[in-house]
Amino acid sequence: MRIRMGLLQVLVVCGIGVTLAWPVIAATSEDSPSSGAVVSVDGTQSAETAAAPASASDPQDGAELRFMDRPVVTFRGVLGGATPDVRAARARAVLDSLSGRVFDSPVDVLHASLGGVSGVAFRLQDRILFALTADDLAPGDPRSLDAVAADVQKNLQVAFAARRQQLHWPTILRGIALSALGAVVLVILVITVGRTRARLEAWLQATVEKRVLKRTARTFDWTGSAFHLVHQIVQIGAVCVALALAYLYLIFMLMQFPASQPMAGRMSDFLWSLVDKFGLGVAGAIPGILTVIVIFLLTRALQSLVNNIFDAVQNGRLTIPGMHPETAGATRRVVSVVVWGLALTFAYPYMPGAQSDVFKGLSVLLGLMVTLGSSGIVNQLMSGMIVIYSRSLKKGDLVSIGDATGVVVGVDALSVKLVNMAQEELTIPNAVVVASTVRNFSAKGHGRGVAISTTLTIGYDTPWRQVHAMLIEAALQTPQVAAQPAPYVLQRALSDFYVEYEVFATLRDPSTRFAAISGLHEGIQDVFNRYGVQIMSPHFEEQPHSPLTIRPEHWYPAPAQAPEDGTVPSASMQGSQPSPASGAGHAR
């Protein structure tokens, strides 16, 4: 089964090689030294001659006569009213009509004149093949007509010798035998390439798994992708080697037959021209590659120095005027982008292919994309720079941006991310952050504490000193409130029906702001109920008969649960009762 699959692969490779080589051969034959019409004398007329009318030939280019796929002569002048194309077609007809034994005879060169035009004629036995005049010489050719005729005579003898060898059966049998032997060698080489491919693929997979995957595949298993990539690379390499072997075998096979030797020569020249072009390209790119490597090594060293400096600033080990630890990370990224951008700019002219149309087209495409789509991105990036360098917030701060309040979990180049009390992640674009008022509850709280406050209104019939004392007591009973600095109360307004009080307290941890406000409200209700002071906005229509309060023994109706020890505040704990309050306010 493996042998049959190998033979099938050889046949496919040979077919692909012939298919790929045939356009090259045709194109190379069209690029012969004479670019005019070409007349082939081994059976067909070339596509260039067939496509153009005979009268459309340029005398400067002429019509080339080929025999056995070998160049013989190029006609450029008009002789006896016949254009170069007509003369080449007549010569082709004469050569086609010759029998096999005639080619053993020597070619004679005769000096003659036709219509007053002197020239030379080429004769084989009793047949005049064609004539050559001084008008057929190429412009600027320093050779004389006799020298050109001698070269044409040699060309005819070479072509006739190839024709004789082509008709010689031992030559054909020898070519077939060598071609078959070459095919066997090709099969062996292709099978060897296939086996080597399998072994190389297994070795590369083992190497990747041992030295790469074990170090990198900790959080994500990309073994399948890595093995697939290795398989594709090895497969492509094996196919390229097989195609190269098939191409070489095709050249070898064509060289065994005289009629196809010129074609094999053109294929060989094409192959060597590719090798020469590739080699010269590699050799020419080496200085540029070395320059690029030096530039990037220097840039990497500079980048390492920049990282060390900014890490020291960020950790507080180094102080640079005008630079703060909060902005050191952003500044490092900006400097890194500038450094690598300059390195890329300096290295670009030395990159292989930097002046090619592909690089130019890619540059135009990238420029167009940046021009069309950068307005919004640049706006967000610049807004992000403002957010970072203004130091209005940082990761871990409790902030309020517009209607959103939460803890900062990320300050990115394009947006700020918050997590609110409902554990929802909020993404706010940097442009919106810049356009909004940012309230940072943590910026000053870690040093001297951050204050919270709440407002409520109590009637004028309750002594303000008692209200101050109850509010301060409620604040001190809140677990999140610090004892120092001590809570205090301000009277914000003396309204028509009530006094507006605001109590201020300092938090131990700014991140507990919302829990502290809720606890403060709970404490105010408990303290005011304990002392019998009602909290209700008074807009007088009539005086209530008794204070609207909740006695401590009624603080835990179902489904509320009393403390586990079962203690409930008693009347003795309430202290002296004030006079009934005719009005109270609401907590805000």
Side-chain angles (χ1 to χ4, degrees):
M1 179 61 70
R2 292 184 178 179
I3 297 177
R4 284 185 289 177
M5 292 301 295
L7 292 176
L8 180 60
Q9 187 176 5
V10 169
L11 294 177
V12 172
V13 169
C14 292
I16 295 175
V18 173
T19 304
L20 295 176
W22 187 256
V24 175
I25 299 168
T28 310
S29 63
E30 291 179 1
D31 294 336
S32 56
S34 297
S35 59
V38 179
V39 178
S40 177
V41 193
D42 49 1
T44 58
Q45 188 177 8
S46 71
E48 186 176 356
T49 305
S55 60
S57 299
D58 188 357
Q60 298 293 335
D61 297 333
E64 185 182 32
L65 175 64
R66 300 181 70 87
F67 185 66
M68 294 297 294
D69 200 17
R70 290 166 172 79
V72 177
V73 67
T74 300
F75 298 105
R76 294 184 176 85
V78 178
L79 181 61
T83 61
D85 289 336
V86 174
R87 295 173 58 194
R90 291 175 179 175
R92 178 182 62 82
V94 172
L95 292 174
D96 287 342
S97 63
L98 298 177
S99 61
R101 297 180 179 179
V102 179
F103 295 105
D104 295 331
S105 303
V107 178
D108 299 327
V109 179
L110 306 176
H111 289 79
S113 61
L114 179 61
V117 179
S118 60
V120 294
F122 298 89
R123 184 181 66 182
L124 186 63
Q125 291 186 353
D126 57 348
R127 298 290 300 274
I128 298 297
L129 304 180
F130 53 85
L132 193 65
T133 65
D135 296 335
D136 294 321
L137 299 180
D141 192 350
R143 296 179 300 170
S144 62
L145 181 60
D146 293 336
V148 173
D151 293 339
V152 173
Q153 185 181 18
K154 293 178 181 178
N155 293 339
L156 285 172
Q157 292 174 352
V158 171
F160 291 165
R163 181 62 177 270
R164 291 193 303 269
Q165 293 179 1
Q166 184 65 29
L167 298 177
H168 192 53
W169 280 105
T171 302
I172 298 176
L173 294 177
R174 175 178 173 274
I176 295 175
L178 292 177
S179 300
L181 180 61
V184 173
V185 174
L186 176 63
V187 171
I188 296 175
L189 292 177
V190 170
I191 294 175
T192 304
V193 169
R195 294 180 177 178
T196 305
R197 176 192 63 80
R199 295 177 181 176
L200 179 62
E201 182 176 348
W203 178 77
L204 287 177
Q205 289 181 355
T207 303
V208 170
E209 184 176 4
K210 179 179 179 181
R211 299 188 178 182
V212 179
L213 297 181
K214 289 184 178 180
R215 300 179 181 179
T216 58
R218 298 177 180 176
T219 58
F220 175 72
D221 186 12
W222 54 289
T223 306
S225 300
F227 287 167
H228 181 72
L229 179 61
V230 169
H231 172 74
Q232 293 296 328
I233 293 176
V234 175
Q235 190 75 15
I236 292 174
V239 171
C240 292
V241 172
L243 289 176
L245 293 175
Y247 191 87
L248 293 175
Y249 167 73
L250 190 60
I251 295 176
F252 173 78
M253 182 182 65
L254 295 177
M255 286 295 295
Q256 308 309 315
F257 303 95
S260 58
Q261 286 177 356
M263 185 182 298
R266 290 193 293 271
M267 292 179 62
S268 178
D269 293 340
F270 172 75
L271 180 61
W272 284 111
S273 65
L274 287 181
V275 174
D276 183 61
K277 184 178 180 180
F278 179 78
L280 291 178
V282 172
I286 289 177
I289 294 175
L290 293 177
T291 304
V292 171
I293 292 175
V294 170
I295 291 175
F296 279 101
L297 288 178
L298 293 177
T299 305
R300 184 178 178 182
L302 180 60
Q303 179 64 35
S304 178
L305 176 62
V306 170
N307 290 338
N308 291 333
I309 293 175
F310 283 101
D311 286 342
V313 173
Q314 192 170 6
N315 296 331
R317 293 183 284 106
L318 178 64
T319 301
I320 297 179
M323 187 176 298
H324 305 277
E326 297 85 356
T327 62
T331 307
R332 176 177 59 187
R333 290 192 292 269
V334 172
V335 174
S336 299
V337 170
V338 173
V339 168
W340 283 105
L342 291 175
L344 184 62
T345 303
F346 293 149
Y348 177 81
Y350 301 99
M351 293 181 179
Q355 306 302 325
S356 63
D357 294 336
V358 175
F359 269 71
K360 294 178 182 178
L362 183 60
S363 302
V364 173
L365 178 61
L366 293 178
L368 182 62
M369 293 174 60
V370 171
T371 301
L372 295 179
S374 63
S375 58
I377 297 177
V378 171
N379 183 22
Q380 299 297 335
L381 290 175
M382 297 306 297
S383 299
M385 298 297 294
I386 295 175
V387 170
I388 293 174
Y389 283 99
S390 64
R391 295 185 295 160
S392 58
L393 51 85
K394 64 179 182 298
K395 187 176 180 180
D397 287 350
L398 178 64
V399 299
S400 175
I401 303 174
D403 297 334
T405 303
V407 179
V408 179
V409 295
V411 182
D412 301 328
L414 301 178
S415 63
V416 173
K417 294 185 182 297
L418 306 179
V419 173
N420 60 12
M421 293 298 103
Q423 295 302 310
E424 299 171 340
E425 185 177 279
L426 308 178
T427 301
I428 306 175
N430 287 331
V432 176
V433 177
V434 172
S436 303
T437 300
V438 178
R439 293 180 176 87
N440 194 324
F441 304 113
S442 304
K444 301 298 182 181
H446 294 291
R448 58 186 181 183
V450 61
I452 60 171
S453 67
T454 188
T455 303
L456 74 163
T457 55
I458 303 297
Y460 283 100
D461 56 343
T462 302
W464 64 266
R465 294 177 180 83
Q466 182 186 17
V467 176
H468 283 210
M470 288 189 294
L471 292 176
I472 292 174
E473 180 180 345
L476 291 175
Q477 291 178 359
T478 305
Q480 294 83 6
V481 172
Q484 294 295 330
Y488 60 94
V489 180
L490 297 179
Q491 298 186 26
R492 300 294 301 273
L494 299 177
S495 301
D496 293 338
F497 304 104
Y498 48 75
V499 180
E500 183 177 348
Y501 299 91
E502 184 172 6
V503 57
F504 293 86
T506 302
L507 298 181
R508 294 188 179 94
D509 185 0
S511 62
T512 62
R513 175 182 178 84
F514 297 102
I517 292 177
S518 177
L520 179 60
H521 290 166
E522 296 170 357
I524 290 174
Q525 296 179 68
D526 289 345
V527 171
F528 273 65
N529 283 323
R530 185 181 302 123
Y531 290 100
V533 178
Q534 65 182 7
I535 302 175
M536 187 172 62
S537 297
H539 291 276
F540 278 100
E541 291 183 0
E542 62 178 345
Q543 184 77 10
H545 297 290
S546 62
L548 302 179
T549 61
I550 301 175
R551 299 183 63 81
E553 58 267 19
H554 298 148
W555 283 1
Y556 301 98
Q561 297 181 358
E564 295 181 357
D565 54 5
T567 59
V568 178
S570 62
S572 60
M573 298 174 59
Q574 301 179 22
S576 61
Q577 296 293 333
S579 60
S582 61
H586 63 281
R588 294 186 296 174

